[in-house]
Coordinates of all heavy atoms in Angstrom, one line a residue:
M8 N 112.7 96.5 153.7 CA 111.8 97.1 152.8 C 110.5 96.3 152.9 O 110.4 95.1 152.9 CB 112.3 97.0 151.3 CG 111.5 97.7 150.3 SD 112.2 97.6 148.6 CE 113.0 99.1 148.5
S9 N 109.4 97.1 153.0 CA 108.1 96.4 153.2 C 107.6 95.9 151.9 O 108.1 96.2 150.8 CB 107.1 97.5 153.7 OG 106.7 98.4 152.7
T10 N 106.6 95.0 152.0 CA 106.1 94.4 150.8 C 105.5 95.4 149.8 O 105.7 95.3 148.6 CB 105.0 93.4 151.2 OG1 105.5 92.4 152.1 CG2 104.4 92.6 150.0
M11 N 104.8 96.4 150.3 CA 104.3 97.4 149.5 C 105.3 98.2 148.7 O 105.2 98.5 147.6 CB 103.4 98.4 150.3 CG 102.6 99.4 149.5 SD 101.5 98.6 148.3 CE 100.1 98.5 149.3
N12 N 106.4 98.5 149.4 CA 107.5 99.2 148.8 C 108.2 98.4 147.7 O 108.6 98.9 146.7 CB 108.6 99.7 149.8 CG 108.1 100.9 150.6 OD1 107.2 101.6 150.2 ND2 108.7 101.1 151.8
K13 N 108.3 97.1 148.0 CA 108.9 96.2 147.0 C 108.0 96.1 145.8 O 108.5 96.1 144.6 CB 109.0 94.8 147.6 CG 110.2 94.6 148.6 CD 110.3 93.2 149.1 CE 111.3 93.1 150.2 NZ 111.4 91.8 150.8
L14 N 106.7 96.1 146.0 CA 105.8 96.0 144.8 C 105.8 97.3 144.0 O 105.8 97.3 142.8 CB 104.3 95.8 145.3 CG 104.0 94.4 145.8 CD1 102.6 94.4 146.4 CD2 104.1 93.4 144.7
K15 N 105.9 98.5 144.7 CA 106.0 99.8 144.0 C 107.3 99.8 143.2 O 107.3 100.3 142.1 CB 106.0 100.9 145.0 CG 104.6 101.2 145.6 CD 104.7 102.4 146.5 CE 103.3 102.6 147.2 NZ 103.3 103.7 148.1
Q16 N 108.4 99.4 143.8 CA 109.7 99.4 143.1 C 109.7 98.4 141.9 O 110.2 98.8 140.9 CB 110.9 99.0 144.1 CG 112.2 99.1 143.5 CD 112.6 100.5 143.0 OE1 112.3 101.5 143.7 NE2 113.1 100.6 141.8
G17 N 109.1 97.3 142.1 CA 109.0 96.3 141.0 C 108.1 96.9 139.9 O 108.5 96.7 138.7
S18 N 107.1 97.6 140.3 CA 106.2 98.2 139.3 C 107.0 99.3 138.5 O 106.9 99.4 137.3 CB 105.0 98.8 139.9 OG 104.2 99.4 139.0
K19 N 107.8 100.1 139.2 CA 108.6 101.1 138.5 C 109.6 100.4 137.6 O 109.8 100.9 136.5 CB 109.3 101.9 139.6 CG 108.5 102.9 140.3 CD 109.3 103.7 141.3 CE 108.4 104.6 142.2 NZ 109.1 105.3 143.2
D20 N 110.2 99.3 138.0 CA 111.2 98.6 137.2 C 110.6 98.1 135.9 O 111.1 98.2 134.8 CB 111.9 97.5 138.0 CG 112.8 98.0 139.1 OD1 113.1 99.2 139.1 OD2 113.1 97.2 140.0
I21 N 109.4 97.5 136.1 CA 108.7 96.9 135.0 C 108.3 98.0 134.0 O 108.5 97.9 132.8 CB 107.4 96.1 135.4 CG1 107.9 94.9 136.1 CG2 106.5 95.8 134.2 CD1 106.8 94.1 136.8
S22 N 107.8 99.2 134.5 CA 107.4 100.3 133.7 C 108.6 100.8 132.9 O 108.5 101.1 131.7 CB 106.8 101.4 134.5 OG 105.6 101.0 135.1
K23 N 109.8 100.9 133.6 CA 111.0 101.3 132.9 C 111.4 100.4 131.8 O 111.7 100.8 130.7 CB 112.1 101.5 134.0 CG 113.4 102.0 133.4 CD 114.4 102.2 134.4 CE 115.7 102.7 133.9 NZ 116.8 102.8 134.8
E24 N 111.3 99.1 132.1 CA 111.7 98.1 131.0 C 110.7 98.2 129.9 O 111.1 98.1 128.7 CB 111.7 96.7 131.6 CG 112.9 96.4 132.5 CD 114.2 96.5 131.8 OE1 114.3 96.0 130.7 OE2 115.1 97.2 132.4
V25 N 109.4 98.3 130.1 CA 108.4 98.4 129.1 C 108.7 99.7 128.3 O 108.6 99.6 127.0 CB 107.0 98.4 129.6 CG1 106.0 98.7 128.6 CG2 106.7 97.0 130.2
G26 N 109.0 100.8 128.9 CA 109.3 102.0 128.2 C 110.5 101.9 127.3 O 110.5 102.3 126.2
N27 N 111.5 101.2 127.8 CA 112.7 101.0 127.0 C 112.4 100.1 125.8 O 112.9 100.4 124.7 CB 113.8 100.3 127.9 CG 114.4 101.3 128.9 OD1 114.3 102.5 128.7 ND2 115.1 100.8 129.9
Y28 N 111.6 99.1 126.1 CA 111.2 98.2 125.0 C 110.4 98.9 123.9 O 110.7 98.8 122.7 CB 110.4 97.0 125.6 CG 109.9 96.1 124.6 CD1 110.6 95.1 124.0 CD2 108.5 96.1 124.2 CE1 110.1 94.2 123.0 CE2 108.0 95.3 123.2 CZ 108.8 94.3 122.7 OH 108.3 93.5 121.7
L29 N 109.5 99.7 124.3 CA 108.7 100.5 123.4 C 109.5 101.5 122.6 O 109.3 101.7 121.4 CB 107.5 101.2 124.1 CG 106.4 100.3 124.7 CD1 105.4 101.1 125.5 CD2 105.7 99.5 123.6
F30 N 110.4 102.1 123.3 CA 111.3 103.1 122.6 C 112.2 102.4 121.6 O 112.3 102.9 120.5 CB 112.2 103.8 123.7 CG 113.1 104.9 123.1 CD1 112.5 106.0 122.5 CD2 114.4 104.7 123.0 CE1 113.3 107.0 121.9 CE2 115.3 105.6 122.5 CZ 114.7 106.8 121.9
E31 N 112.7 101.2 121.9 CA 113.6 100.5 120.9 C 112.7 100.1 119.7 O 113.2 100.1 118.6 CB 114.2 99.3 121.6 CG 115.3 99.6 122.6 CD 116.5 100.4 122.0 OE1 116.9 100.0 120.8 OE2 116.9 101.4 122.6
N32 N 111.5 99.6 120.0 CA 110.6 99.2 118.9 C 110.3 100.4 118.0 O 110.2 100.3 116.8 CB 109.3 98.6 119.4 CG 109.5 97.1 119.8 OD1 110.4 96.5 119.2 ND2 108.6 96.6 120.7
Y33 N 110.1 101.6 118.7 CA 109.8 102.8 117.9 C 111.0 103.2 117.0 O 110.8 103.6 115.9 CB 109.4 103.9 118.9 CG 109.1 105.2 118.2 CD1 107.9 105.3 117.4 CD2 109.9 106.3 118.2 CE1 107.6 106.5 116.7 CE2 109.6 107.5 117.6 CZ 108.5 107.6 116.8 OH 108.2 108.8 116.2
K34 N 112.2 103.1 117.5 CA 113.4 103.4 116.7 C 113.5 102.4 115.5 O 113.8 102.8 114.4 CB 114.6 103.3 117.6 CG 114.8 104.4 118.5 CD 116.2 104.6 119.1 CE 116.7 103.3 119.8 NZ 117.9 103.5 120.5
C35 N 113.2 101.1 115.8 CA 113.1 100.2 114.6 C 112.1 100.5 113.6 O 112.3 100.4 112.4 CB 112.9 98.7 115.2 SG 114.3 98.1 116.1
F36 N 110.9 100.9 114.1 CA 109.8 101.3 113.2 C 110.3 102.5 112.3 O 110.0 102.5 111.1 CB 108.6 101.7 114.0 CG 107.6 102.5 113.3 CD1 106.7 101.8 112.4 CD2 107.5 103.9 113.4 CE1 105.8 102.6 111.6 CE2 106.5 104.6 112.6 CZ 105.7 103.9 111.8
L37 N 110.9 103.5 112.9 CA 111.4 104.6 112.1 C 112.4 104.2 111.1 O 112.4 104.7 109.9 CB 112.0 105.7 113.1 CG 111.0 106.4 114.0 CD1 111.8 107.4 114.9 CD2 109.9 107.1 113.2
K38 N 113.3 103.3 111.4 CA 114.3 102.8 110.5 C 113.6 102.1 109.3 O 113.9 102.3 108.2 CB 115.3 101.9 111.1 CG 116.3 102.6 112.0 CD 117.3 101.6 112.6 CE 118.2 102.3 113.6 NZ 119.1 101.4 114.3
T39 N 112.6 101.3 109.7 CA 111.8 100.5 108.7 C 111.1 101.5 107.8 O 111.0 101.4 106.6 CB 110.9 99.6 109.4 OG1 111.6 98.7 110.2 CG2 110.1 98.8 108.3
K40 N 110.5 102.5 108.4 CA 109.7 103.5 107.6 C 110.7 104.2 106.7 O 110.3 104.4 105.5 CB 109.1 104.5 108.6 CG 108.3 105.6 107.9 CD 107.7 106.6 109.0 CE 107.4 107.9 108.4 NZ 108.5 108.8 108.2
D41 N 111.8 104.6 107.1 CA 112.8 105.2 106.2 C 113.2 104.3 105.1 O 113.4 104.7 104.0 CB 114.1 105.7 107.0 CG 113.8 106.9 108.0 OD1 112.7 107.5 107.8 OD2 114.6 107.1 108.9
S42 N 113.4 103.0 105.4 CA 113.8 102.1 104.4 C 112.7 101.9 103.3 O 113.0 101.9 102.1 CB 114.1 100.7 105.0 OG 115.2 100.8 105.8
I43 N 111.5 101.9 103.8 CA 110.3 101.8 102.9 C 110.2 103.0 102.0 O 110.0 102.9 100.8 CB 109.0 101.5 103.6 CG1 109.1 100.1 104.2 CG2 107.8 101.6 102.7 CD1 108.0 99.8 105.2
T44 N 110.5 104.2 102.6 CA 110.4 105.4 101.8 C 111.5 105.4 100.8 O 111.3 105.8 99.6 CB 110.6 106.6 102.8 OG1 109.5 106.6 103.7 CG2 110.6 107.9 102.0
D45 N 112.7 105.0 101.2 CA 113.8 104.9 100.2 C 113.5 103.9 99.1 O 113.8 104.2 97.9 CB 115.1 104.5 100.9 CG 115.7 105.6 101.8 OD1 115.2 106.7 101.7 OD2 116.5 105.3 102.6
L46 N 112.9 102.8 99.5 CA 112.6 101.8 98.5 C 111.5 102.3 97.5 O 111.6 102.1 96.3 CB 112.0 100.5 99.2 CG 111.7 99.3 98.3 CD1 112.9 98.8 97.5 CD2 111.2 98.2 99.2
H47 N 110.5 103.1 98.0 CA 109.5 103.7 97.2 C 110.1 104.6 96.2 O 109.8 104.7 95.0 CB 108.5 104.4 98.1 CG 107.3 105.0 97.3 ND1 107.1 106.3 97.3 CD2 106.4 104.4 96.6 CE1 106.1 106.5 96.5 NE2 105.6 105.4 96.1
K48 N 111.1 105.5 96.7 CA 111.8 106.4 95.8 C 112.5 105.7 94.7 O 112.5 106.1 93.6 CB 112.7 107.3 96.6 CG 112.0 108.3 97.5 CD 113.0 109.1 98.3 CE 112.3 110.1 99.2 NZ 113.3 110.8 100.1
T49 N 113.1 104.6 95.1 CA 113.9 103.8 94.1 C 112.9 103.2 93.0 O 113.3 103.2 91.9 CB 114.6 102.6 94.8 OG1 115.5 103.1 95.8 CG2 115.4 101.8 93.8
F50 N 111.8 102.7 93.5 CA 110.8 102.2 92.5 C 110.3 103.3 91.6 O 110.1 103.1 90.4 CB 109.6 101.5 93.2 CG 109.9 100.1 93.6 CD1 109.8 99.7 94.9 CD2 110.3 99.2 92.6 CE1 110.0 98.4 95.3 CE2 110.5 97.9 93.0 CZ 110.4 97.4 94.3
L51 N 110.1 104.5 92.1 CA 109.7 105.6 91.3 C 110.7 106.0 90.3 O 110.4 106.3 89.1 CB 109.3 106.8 92.2 CG 108.0 106.7 93.0 CD1 107.9 108.0 93.9 CD2 106.8 106.5 92.1
D52 N 112.0 106.0 90.7 CA 113.1 106.3 89.8 C 113.2 105.2 88.7 O 113.4 105.5 87.5 CB 114.4 106.3 90.5 CG 114.6 107.5 91.4 OD1 113.8 108.5 91.3 OD2 115.5 107.5 92.3
L53 N 113.0 103.9 89.1 CA 113.0 102.9 88.1 C 111.8 103.0 87.1 O 112.0 102.8 85.9 CB 112.9 101.5 88.9 CG 112.8 100.3 88.0 CD1 114.1 100.2 87.1 CD2 112.7 99.0 88.9
Q54 N 110.7 103.4 87.6 CA 109.5 103.6 86.8 C 109.8 104.7 85.8 O 109.5 104.6 84.6 CB 108.3 103.9 87.6 CG 107.0 104.2 86.8 CD 105.8 104.6 87.6 OE1 106.0 105.1 88.7 NE2 104.7 104.4 87.1
T55 N 110.4 105.8 86.2 CA 110.8 106.9 85.3 C 111.8 106.4 84.3 O 111.6 106.7 83.1 CB 111.3 108.1 86.2 OG1 110.4 108.5 87.1 CG2 111.7 109.2 85.3
T56 N 112.8 105.7 84.7 CA 113.8 105.2 83.8 C 113.2 104.2 82.8 O 113.5 104.4 81.6 CB 114.9 104.4 84.6 OG1 115.5 105.3 85.5 CG2 116.0 103.9 83.6
L57 N 112.3 103.3 83.2 CA 111.7 102.4 82.3 C 110.8 103.1 81.3 O 110.7 102.8 80.1 CB 110.9 101.3 83.0 CG 111.7 100.3 83.8 CD1 110.9 99.4 84.6 CD2 112.6 99.5 82.8
T58 N 110.1 104.1 81.8 CA 109.2 104.9 80.9 C 110.0 105.6 79.9 O 109.6 105.6 78.7 CB 108.3 105.9 81.7 OG1 107.6 105.2 82.7 CG2 107.4 106.7 80.9
S59 N 111.1 106.2 80.3 CA 112.0 106.9 79.3 C 112.6 106.0 78.3 O 112.6 106.3 77.1 CB 113.1 107.7 80.1 OG 112.6 108.6 80.9
S60 N 113.0 104.8 78.8 CA 113.6 103.8 77.9 C 112.5 103.3 76.9 O 112.8 103.2 75.7 CB 114.1 102.7 78.8 OG 114.6 101.6 77.9
Y61 N 111.3 103.1 77.4 CA 110.2 102.7 76.5 C 110.0 103.7 75.4 O 109.8 103.4 74.2 CB 109.0 102.4 77.3 CG 107.8 102.0 76.6 CD1 107.8 100.7 76.0 CD2 106.7 102.8 76.4 CE1 106.6 100.3 75.3 CE2 105.6 102.4 75.7 CZ 105.6 101.1 75.1 OH 104.5 100.7 74.4
A62 N 109.9 105.0 75.8 CA 109.7 106.1 74.9 C 110.8 106.2 73.9 O 110.6 106.3 72.6 CB 109.5 107.4 75.6
L63 N 112.0 106.0 74.3 CA 113.2 106.1 73.4 C 113.1 104.9 72.4 O 113.5 105.0 71.2 CB 114.5 106.1 74.2 CG 114.8 107.4 74.9 CD1 116.0 107.2 75.8 CD2 115.1 108.5 73.9
T64 N 112.8 103.7 72.9 CA 112.7 102.5 72.1 C 111.6 102.7 71.0 O 111.8 102.4 69.8 CB 112.4 101.3 72.9 OG1 113.5 101.1 73.9 CG2 112.3 100.0 72.1
L65 N 110.4 103.2 71.4 CA 109.4 103.4 70.5 C 109.8 104.5 69.4 O 109.5 104.3 68.2 CB 108.1 103.9 71.2 CG 107.3 102.9 72.0 CD1 106.1 103.5 72.6 CD2 106.9 101.7 71.1
N66 N 110.5 105.5 69.8 CA 111.0 106.5 68.9 C 112.0 105.9 67.9 O 111.9 106.2 66.7 CB 111.6 107.7 69.7 CG 111.8 108.9 68.9 OD1 111.3 109.0 67.8 ND2 112.7 109.8 69.3
A67 N 112.9 105.1 68.4 CA 113.9 104.5 67.6 C 113.2 103.6 66.5 O 113.5 103.5 65.4 CB 114.9 103.7 68.4
I68 N 112.2 102.8 67.0 CA 111.4 101.9 66.1 C 110.7 102.8 65.0 O 110.8 102.4 63.8 CB 110.4 101.0 66.9 CG1 111.2 100.0 67.7 CG2 109.4 100.4 65.9 CD1 110.3 99.3 68.7
Q69 N 110.1 103.8 65.4 CA 109.4 104.7 64.5 C 110.3 105.3 63.5 O 110.1 105.3 62.3 CB 108.6 105.8 65.2 CG 107.8 106.7 64.3 CD 107.1 107.8 65.1 OE1 107.2 107.9 66.3 NE2 106.3 108.5 64.4
T70 N 111.5 105.8 64.0 CA 112.5 106.3 63.1 C 113.0 105.3 62.1 O 113.1 105.6 60.9 CB 113.7 106.9 63.9 OG1 113.1 107.9 64.8 CG2 114.7 107.5 63.0
N71 N 113.2 104.1 62.6 CA 113.7 103.0 61.7 C 112.6 102.7 60.6 O 113.0 102.5 59.5 CB 114.0 101.8 62.6 CG 114.8 100.7 61.8 OD1 115.2 101.0 60.7 ND2 114.8 99.5 62.4
L72 N 111.4 102.6 61.1 CA 110.3 102.3 60.1 C 110.2 103.4 59.1 O 110.0 103.1 57.9 CB 109.0 102.1 60.8 CG 108.9 100.8 61.7 CD1 107.6 100.8 62.5 CD2 109.0 99.5 60.8
E73 N 110.3 104.6 59.5 CA 110.2 105.7 58.6 C 111.4 105.7 57.6 O 111.2 105.9 56.4 CB 110.2 107.1 59.3 CG 108.9 107.3 60.0 CD 108.9 108.5 60.9 OE1 110.0 109.1 61.1 OE2 107.9 108.9 61.5
A74 N 112.5 105.3 58.1 CA 113.7 105.3 57.2 C 113.5 104.1 56.2 O 113.9 104.3 55.0 CB 115.0 105.0 58.1
Q75 N 113.0 103.0 56.6 CA 112.8 101.9 55.7 C 111.7 102.2 54.7 O 111.8 101.8 53.5 CB 112.4 100.6 56.5 CG 113.5 100.0 57.3 CD 113.0 98.8 58.1 OE1 111.8 98.4 58.0 NE2 113.9 98.2 58.9
S76 N 110.7 103.0 55.1 CA 109.7 103.3 54.1 C 110.1 104.3 53.1 O 109.6 104.4 52.0 CB 108.4 103.8 54.9 OG 108.6 105.0 55.4
T77 N 111.1 105.1 53.4 CA 111.6 106.1 52.4 C 112.7 105.5 51.5 O 112.9 106.1 50.4 CB 112.1 107.4 53.1 OG1 113.2 107.0 54.0 CG2 111.0 108.1 53.9
K78 N 113.3 104.5 51.9 CA 114.4 103.9 51.1 C 113.9 103.5 49.7 O 114.5 103.8 48.7 CB 115.1 102.8 51.8 CG 116.1 103.3 52.8 CD 116.9 102.2 53.5 CE 117.8 102.7 54.5 NZ 118.5 101.6 55.2
P79 N 112.8 102.7 49.6 CA 112.4 102.3 48.2 C 112.1 103.5 47.3 O 112.4 103.4 46.1 CB 111.2 101.4 48.5 CG 111.3 101.0 49.9 CD 112.1 102.1 50.6
E80 N 111.5 104.5 47.9 CA 111.2 105.7 47.0 C 112.5 106.3 46.5 O 112.6 106.7 45.4 CB 110.4 106.7 47.8 CG 109.0 106.2 48.2 CD 108.3 107.1 49.1 OE1 108.8 108.2 49.4 OE2 107.2 106.8 49.6
E81 N 113.4 106.4 47.4 CA 114.7 107.0 47.0 C 115.4 106.1 45.9 O 115.9 106.6 45.0 CB 115.6 107.1 48.2 CG 115.2 108.2 49.2 CD 116.0 108.2 50.5 OE1 116.9 107.4 50.6 OE2 115.7 109.1 51.3
L82 N 115.3 104.8 46.1 CA 115.9 103.9 45.1 C 115.2 104.1 43.7 O 115.8 104.1 42.7 CB 115.9 102.5 45.6 CG 116.8 102.1 46.7 CD1 116.5 100.7 47.2 CD2 118.2 102.3 46.4
E83 N 113.9 104.1 43.8 CA 113.1 104.3 42.5 C 113.4 105.6 41.8 O 113.6 105.6 40.6 CB 111.6 104.2 42.8 CG 111.1 102.9 43.2 CD 109.6 102.9 43.6 OE1 108.9 103.9 43.3 OE2 109.1 101.9 44.1
S84 N 113.6 106.7 42.6 CA 113.9 108.0 42.0 C 115.3 108.0 41.5 O 115.6 108.6 40.4 CB 113.7 109.1 43.0 OG 114.6 109.0 44.1
D85 N 116.2 107.2 42.1 CA 117.6 107.1 41.6 C 117.6 106.3 40.3 O 118.3 106.6 39.4 CB 118.5 106.4 42.6 CG 118.8 107.3 43.8 OD1 118.6 108.5 43.7 OD2 119.3 106.8 44.8
E86 N 116.8 105.3 40.2 CA 116.7 104.5 39.0 C 116.1 105.3 37.8 O 116.5 105.1 36.6 CB 115.9 103.2 39.2 CG 116.6 102.2 40.1 CD 115.6 101.1 40.5 OE1 114.5 101.0 40.1 OE2 116.1 100.2 41.3
N87 N 115.2 106.1 38.1 CA 114.5 106.9 37.0 C 115.4 108.1 36.6 O 115.1 108.6 35.5 CB 113.2 107.5 37.6 CG 112.2 106.4 37.8 OD1 112.2 105.3 37.2 ND2 111.2 106.7 38.7
S88 N 116.4 108.4 37.3 CA 117.3 109.5 36.9 C 118.2 109.2 35.8 O 118.6 108.2 35.5 CB 118.1 110.0 38.1 OG 117.4 110.3 39.2

């Protein structure tokens, strides 16, 4: 095999290896992208859950405060009866 043919074959081999390397990196990138997308969805779900929990907590506090504010009036009306 002549020197030129060896160089051409070596160049093809290198190109093939670089192509394989880039393809493997691309597959890793896609997996990472999918993982980041899943993580983002998880954070959005968590945000929704926390927002709902916060709203329920505020509602419970408000209900409790309203219940406490009506009790003395009820007791006074019972005493006056």
Side-chain angles (χ1 to χ4, degrees):
M8 184 180 263
S9 72
T10 303
M11 188 56 93
N12 286 341
K13 287 180 184 178
L14 288 174
K15 285 181 183 178
Q16 185 59 44
S18 178
K19 286 179 186 177
D20 292 343
I21 291 171
S22 293
K23 183 178 178 182
E24 288 299 315
V25 169
N27 288 339
Y28 175 78
L29 291 174
F30 182 68
E31 289 301 315
N32 278 336
Y33 181 69
K34 289 194 305 187
C35 288
F36 165 77
L37 290 179
K38 287 179 186 176
T39 302
K40 181 181 157 281
D41 289 345
S42 296
I43 291 171
T44 301
D45 290 345
L46 185 60
H47 182 246
K48 287 178 185 174
T49 301
F50 277 123
L51 290 177
D52 289 345
L53 179 60
Q54 181 184 21
T55 301
T56 301
L57 290 174
T58 302
S59 297
S60 177
Y61 180 71
L63 289 171
T64 301
L65 287 179
N66 192 18
I68 291 170
Q69 182 179 3
T70 302
N71 191 13
L72 290 173
E73 288 171 357
Q75 288 177 3
S76 68
T77 57
K78 282 185 182 177
E80 293 172 6
E81 290 171 359
L82 292 175
E83 287 175 12
S84 64
D85 287 344
E86 290 171 0
N87 291 335
S88 304

